């Protein structure tokens, strides 16, 4: 009887499995059929389009170009300029719009704006093609008033928790779509190799693998329900390629990237994004090896559209066609620049102010300088994305159908991301967490500012306006007061970004304080306004710390900054250091909860924190970078290493084992390690796995991150963590610029602290 029952169960399971398979294959089939139908629709539309209509689709303007008033004039309502509106939307039937109207609309106002545009585009233009609206909602739907604003990407990377990146993408999409904004100019997949660069805060840091995983997770969060879903947005991954590597550390500067570095470090995040379904990629505004990316056919057509088989839209960055003339001196005028950009493979030109590029494209096709095939390819990609997003059926979304917009659930996800990101870099004599019964002096430029926590792209481009600040959000000062009671907290700003305000008053107030929490950091900035000439934390902020240190009172230093500003002179003067990055709207709360121990910190640095301006290297430096170490000339002397971050508990690693000693061809292998929480409170720990090729013709990197996993351990708990790897993880770019594994010895390095990694050797044989 038992046997018969067992057989029935097995039969039912098999039946349900085959049903699942059937459903899955029907899904795949219908997906393929749907895509084929879309391609047919595109062919049909293309057949009806005039050259001018095709060229019109290739233009992306900024919204203010069709509003009353000057482009950059601040506005408080979106009043359309009737003539311009008709010319751009109806007569030229342009393909795409981006940017805010010059103020930050609520989702209902966005709806009205987008509806007005779409209704005209679809009802009054000859072919009725909807507009593709793009926006920089880069840390939450920051350009929709009332949305949650997450930590910037650098902080998300510091969580080492890809699920938080995924959730960030999902919530950002939901809150963007609530405002009828279907295309997001995010995530940022730049590999930030120069700490001077001002947009590090917007990137996932210096490591190609961490960037790839975080980028992919964000894409899945944004798109995994299907682009046609009214809570999804299409991503636009940026900036292709080498934007984070400007040689002088300035924004949009020339980068020197040899082919082997391009392939080893800079392309992998984009490859992963393309495989993950990205349908938008933005070109970098800089030049690489002197070649502006906006005319680089090799990068765009050969590598991106060719090798990577990318089928989505390639969009130029802001004004970058004219910048080929003005910023790069690579084209003599805008007509020539348009030709170079389109012929390099760019499909959509973000030409914010004018229609001129459309007329140039028409003329260039007529003279044979751009082929009609190139234009057809561009328009096909643009229409494809519009169909995938279902814009022909749903050109805008009802803002009332998004009950979770700005909800407690979204705020909780935001808080969790901030609290998993903040990184404890120093904790002398376990000074942290502080007791909440003590008296605290809170001081420093970043102590009482929501704008500094949010950074740039926060309601306004530079994020410096205060009028949009949500009064319910807490600064660090507010949160500390809430924690220990206002009567136990004194606040003195001490300094501004670059100027002393009242540092002496701050010093005098230390008398009554048990602890000093000094919050320093950067003025919110992005792009060119974020350029700096010195990496040191501004002198005046360092002076404040030095003066406070003379009082002998214990100091907790909180760093609110996207970049790692050099702090070598003040680091020895303080007892605790928290790197807060740009932690977003819930950052004040999260910082305070870590300071007073409600949250156990678990962030780890997603970049190398340099100590000296003359010793700036990513953690994957080459041996020659630190040669002559025995003579004491050079070495690798960061302030804090990539992957470093402390906890209020301790973790011990043991039993590192690998199931195979020798590998060959394409093989899988498993690495396992036991991690034990040896302290007395629960904690999260990011387990990091690196590989080091011991000898290779192309000098091997010091090490390379190949896996990570963030786990939670109760006090006293031990877990065995297993990683599945393949021989692919051992590959690096060889002498002929292809991925290779040269036979020989490799080290697998595993741990949670880059200075205490466990090591295991393996061998690769041909
Ligand atoms: C930035 C991009 C951004 C674009 C549109 C550019 O200046 O470099 O990151 O997506 O503007 O706002």
């Amino acid at each position: 009887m038992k046997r018969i029952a067992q057989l029935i169960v097995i039969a039912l399971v098999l039946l349900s499995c085959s049903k699942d398979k059937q459903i899955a294959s029907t899904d795949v089939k219908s997906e393929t059929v749907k895509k084929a139908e879309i391609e047919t629709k595109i062919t049909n539309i293309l057949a009806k389009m005039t050259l001018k209509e095709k060229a019109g689709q290739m233009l992306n303007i900024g919204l203010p170009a069709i509003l009353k008033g000057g482009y950059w004039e601040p506005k408080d309502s979106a009043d359309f300029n009737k003539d311009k509106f008709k010319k751009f939307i109806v007569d030229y039937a342009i393909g795409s719009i981006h940017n805010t109207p010059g103020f930050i609309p609520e989702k209902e106002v966005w709806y009205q704006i987008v509806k007005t545009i779409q209704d005209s585009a679809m009802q009054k233009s000859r072919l009725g093609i909807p507009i593709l609206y793009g926006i920089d909602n880069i840390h939450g739907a920051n350009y929709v008033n009332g949305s949650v604003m997450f930590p910037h990407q650098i902080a998300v990377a510091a969580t080492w928790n890809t699920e938080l990146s995924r959730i960030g993408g999902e919530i950002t999409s939901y809150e963007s779509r609530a405002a009828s904004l279907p295309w997001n100019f995010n995530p940022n997949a730049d590999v930030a190799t120069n700490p001077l660069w001002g947009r590090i805060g917007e990137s996932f840091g210096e490591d190609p693998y961490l960037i790839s995983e975080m980028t992919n997770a964000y894409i899945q969060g944004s798109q995994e329900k299907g682009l046609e879903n009214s809570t999804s947005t299409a991503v636009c991954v940026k900036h292709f390629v080498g934007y984070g590597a400007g040689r002088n550390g300035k924004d949009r500067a020339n980068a020197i990237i040899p082919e082997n570095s391009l392939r080893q470090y800079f392309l992998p995040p984009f490859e992963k994004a393309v495989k993950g379904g990205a349908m938008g990629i933005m070109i970098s505004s800089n030049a690489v090896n002197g070649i502006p990316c906006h005319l680089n056919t090799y990068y765009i057509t050969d590598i991106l559209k060719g090798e990577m088989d990318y089928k989505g839209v390639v969009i130029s960055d802001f004004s970058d066609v004219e910048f080929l003339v003005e910023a790069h001196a690579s084209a003599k005028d805008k007509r020539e620049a348009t030709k170079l950009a389109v012929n390099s493979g760019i499909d959509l030109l973000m030409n914010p102010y004018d229609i001129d590029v459309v007329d140039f494209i028409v003329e260039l096709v007529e003279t044979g300088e751009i082929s009609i095939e190139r234009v057809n390819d561009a328009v096909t990609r643009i229409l494809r994305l519009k169909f995938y997003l279902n814009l022909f059926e749903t050109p805008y979304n009802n803002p009332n159908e998004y009950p979770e917009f700005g909800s407690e659930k979204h705020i909780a996800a935001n808080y969790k991301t901030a609290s998993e990101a903040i990184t404890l870099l120093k904790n002398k004599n376990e000074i942290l967490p502080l007791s909440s019964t003590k008296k605290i002096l809170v001081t420093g430029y970043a102590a009482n500012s929501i704008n500094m926590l949010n950074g740039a792209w926060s309601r306004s481009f530079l994020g410096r306006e205060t009028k949009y600040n949500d009064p319910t959000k807490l600064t660090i000062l507010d949160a500390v007061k809430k924690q220990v009671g206002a009567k136990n907290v004194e606040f003195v700003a001490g300094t501004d970004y670059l100027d002393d305000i009242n540092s002496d008053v701050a010093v005098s107030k230390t008398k009554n304080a048990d602890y000093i929490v000094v919050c320093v950091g950067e003025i919110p900035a992005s792009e060119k306004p974020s350029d700096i000439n010195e990496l040191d934390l501004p002198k005046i902020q360092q002076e404040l710390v030095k003066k406070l240190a003379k009082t002998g009172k214990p100091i907790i230093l909180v760093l609110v900054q996207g970049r790692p500003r050099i702090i070598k002179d003040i680091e020895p003067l303080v007892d605790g250091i928290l790197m807060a990055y740009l932690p977003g709207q819930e950052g004040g709360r999260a910082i305070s909860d870590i300071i007073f121990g409600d949250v156990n910190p678990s962030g780890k640095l997603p970049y190398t924190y340099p100590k000296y301006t003359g010793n700036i290297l990513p953690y994957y430096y080459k041996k020659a970078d630190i040669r002559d170490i025995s003579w004491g000339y050079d070495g690798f002397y960061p302030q804090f290493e990539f992957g470093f971050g402390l906890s209020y508990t301790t973790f011990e690693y043991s039993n590192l084992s690998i199931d195979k000693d020798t590998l060959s061809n394409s093989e899988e292998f498993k690495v396992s390690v036991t991690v034990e929480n040896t302290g007395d409170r629960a904690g999260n720990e990011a387990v990091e796995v690196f590989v080091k090729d011991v000898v290779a013709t192309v000098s091997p990197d010091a090490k390379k991150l190949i896996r990570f996993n963030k786990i939670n351990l109760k006090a006293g708990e031990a877990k065995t963590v297993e990683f599945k790897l393949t021989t692919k993880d051992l590959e690096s770019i060889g002498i002929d610029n292809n991925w290779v594994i040269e036979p020989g010895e490799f080290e697998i390095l595993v741990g949670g602290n880059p200075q205490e990694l466990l090591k295991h050797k393996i061998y690769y044989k041909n």
Side-chain angles (χ1 to χ4, degrees), residues 355-425:
I355 206 86
D356 52 0
V357 293
V358 177
D359 296 331
F360 291 140
I361 294 172
V362 170
E363 194 185 314
L364 289 160
V365 174
E366 282 168 355
T367 55
E369 290 164 270
I370 294 178
S371 72
I372 190 66
E373 289 74 25
R374 177 70 271 278
V375 168
N376 286 345
D377 171 52
V379 179
T380 299
R381 289 164 183 271
I382 294 162
L383 293 177
R384 186 179 288 139
L385 182 51
K386 291 182 181 186
F387 275 113
Y388 282 11
L389 281 165
N390 203 26
L391 295 181
F392 287 83
E393 303 295 324
T394 314
Y396 37 81
N397 308 88
N398 181 348
N400 301 322
E401 285 172 5
Y402 295 81
E404 283 178 8
F405 179 91
S407 63
E408 285 306 320
K409 184 176 151 206
H410 290 187
I411 293 170
N414 189 7
Y415 170 78
K416 183 168 164 52
T417 310
S419 50
E420 280 206 29
I422 293 163
T423 307
L424 178 62
L425 295 174

Side-chain angles (χ1 to χ4, degrees), residues 197-342:
W197 186 48
R199 295 186 81 179
I200 288 184
E202 296 168 44
S203 79
F204 286 125
E206 77 182 25
D207 179 69
Y209 181 74
L210 184 58
I211 297 168
S212 301
E213 294 301 303
M214 288 289 171
T215 298
N216 185 48
Y218 186 95
I219 295 173
Q220 299 322 313
S222 304
Q223 305 191 159
E224 71 196 345
K225 293 192 191 105
L227 286 184
E228 71 288 355
N229 188 294
S230 57
T231 61
S232 299
T233 57
V235 294
C236 181
V237 187
K238 59 193 190 182
H239 305 81
F240 191 77
V241 60
Y243 185 41
R247 186 165 51 163
N248 64 0
K250 298 285 182 342
D251 188 59
R252 292 164 153 75
N254 186 40
I256 304 297
I257 306 182
E259 185 74 12
N260 56 5
S261 298
L262 179 80
R263 291 183 179 275
Q264 175 94 29
Y265 310 114
F266 294 91
L267 293 180
F270 287 95
E271 277 167 350
K272 182 94 183 179
V274 170
K275 284 203 183 101
M279 289 299 289
I281 288 191
M282 189 184 292
I283 298 303
S284 168
S285 191
N286 73 333
V288 175
N289 308 328
I291 306 168
C293 293
H294 279 76
L295 58 76
N296 197 326
T297 313
Y298 173 57
Y299 284 1
I300 302 172
T301 298
D302 298 351
I303 295 182
L304 179 61
K305 291 183 173 177
E307 286 178 33
M308 294 187 201
D309 197 24
Y310 171 63
K311 298 280 186 250
V313 174
V314 175
I315 182 171
S316 79
D317 201 343
F318 193 97
S319 276
D320 266 292
V321 176
E322 65 205 53
F323 288 162
L324 285 177
V325 186
E326 290 166 18
H328 295 286
S330 290
K332 65 175 185 302
D333 54 25
K334 206 166 169 188
R335 182 187 183 279
E336 188 185 16
T338 307
K339 173 176 140 183
L340 291 169
V342 173

Side-chain angles (χ1 to χ4, degrees), residues 54 84 186 231 238 370 388 497 499 542 588 640 685 739:
K54 289 178 183 175
K84 284 189 173 177
N186 210 44
T231 61
K238 59 193 190 182
I370 294 178
Y388 282 11
Y497 180 46
D499 299 311
Q542 297 203 44
F640 305 107
E685 168 75 338
W739 290 99

Side-chain angles (χ1 to χ4, degrees), residues 10 39 67 146 161 182 245 263 276 296 381 662 692 700 746-747:
I10 292 170
E39 296 304 312
L67 298 179
N161 182 348
R263 291 183 179 275
N296 197 326
R381 289 164 183 271
T662 307
K692 177 181 164 62
F746 291 80
E747 289 168 4

